[in-house]
Amino acid sequence: MIVDRVILGIDPGTNIMGFGLIRVVNKKMEFLQLNELLLSKYADKYTRLKLIFERTIELIDTHHPDEIAIEAPFLGKNAQSMLTLGRAQGVAMAAALSRSIPVTEYEPKKIKMAVTGNGNASKEQVAKMLQQLLPTFKELPKNLDSTDGLAAAVCHYFNSGRVTVGASYSGWDAFVKQNQNRIKK
């Protein structure tokens, strides 16, 4: 068995962070794991961010992913919600970058399109298609945030070697270099 790579997918959130892992063996996907970090029981938003960072580091140290795919915050009607999701995403990205793991962001519609062929697919449709794509993934979780994380990993697999769908960073230096125009002097 030749393991090409392990991909960790993350659906960042401050109430629930979903994640899923796939292994690519001989250029074929294999389901490893999915789960979620329940954060709603913690009232303090900074505690939640700390836990996202720590859990991401734990996943990296346990599974040694070669790449991380993360769902980008979507533009909604509530700017405060987008800002909160952006913080959760940033903390997960910082954890990955602190371990020099390349990170690629994907918009939610791009993830849904890659998995189902429909950018407007429901969470349930995405979860059911993941079961078709990954035969050892049998039981759907109660919350579908973990399947969203798994879908990010699968999207990254499908987009590997193709045009980058989202932004990709191999470390802090790459992040700073690619975002020079955003950094205020």
Side-chain angles (χ1 to χ4, degrees):
M1 171 172 71
I2 299 172
V3 177
D4 299 329
R5 61 200 162 127
V6 173
I7 303 170
L8 168 61
I10 299 175
D11 177 25
T14 54
N15 288 322
I16 300 173
M17 178 183 95
F19 60 89
L21 286 137
I22 60 171
R23 176 176 45 219
V24 181
V25 178
N26 299 324
K27 300 186 179 184
K28 293 184 180 174
M29 289 186 294
E30 291 183 0
F31 170 70
L32 286 179
Q33 175 189 357
L34 82 159
N35 210 332
E36 55 200 25
L37 175 62
L38 300 174
L39 298 159
S40 56
K41 59 186 170 188
Y42 302 98
D44 180 56
K45 62 184 173 185
Y46 299 109
T47 299
R48 291 179 184 196
L49 294 174
K50 177 180 177 275
L51 291 169
I52 291 168
F53 184 87
E54 290 173 348
R55 183 63 174 134
T56 304
I57 289 290
E58 180 184 332
L59 288 165
I60 291 167
D61 290 348
T62 301
H63 298 283
H64 309 287
D66 299 288
E67 301 160 321
I68 295 179
I70 192 163
E71 185 174 303
F74 57 92
L75 182 60
K77 294 179 182 178
N78 187 334
Q80 188 62 40
S81 293
M82 187 174 167
L83 178 61
T84 301
L85 285 174
R87 288 177 178 156
Q89 181 201 33
V91 168
M93 290 173 71
L97 295 171
S98 77
R99 293 290 200 265
S100 298
I101 309 292
V103 177
T104 304
E105 297 176 76
Y106 293 96
E107 296 171 11
K109 283 186 176 274
K110 298 284 184 187
I111 293 171
K112 292 174 182 181
M113 178 64 80
V115 174
T116 68
N118 176 1
N120 295 314
S122 69
K123 283 181 174 279
E124 293 78 14
Q125 289 171 316
V126 170
K128 290 290 188 186
M129 184 57 78
L130 288 170
Q131 287 183 308
Q132 297 296 314
L133 293 168
L134 303 163
T136 59
F137 171 44
K138 303 278 186 213
E139 191 172 328
L140 289 178
K142 180 179 148 187
N143 297 313
L144 295 180
D145 298 271
S146 55
T147 54
D148 287 349
L150 184 61
V154 170
C155 173
H156 187 68
Y157 165 79
F158 284 141
N159 283 283
S160 297
R162 298 184 188 160
V163 176
T164 304
V165 175
S168 183
Y169 312 107
S170 59
W172 284 115
D173 292 337
F175 176 81
V176 171
K177 188 175 181 181
Q178 290 180 29
N179 288 283
Q180 285 290 341
N181 60 340
R182 293 182 182 178
I183 299 171
K184 300 204 181 202
K185 299 185 183 204

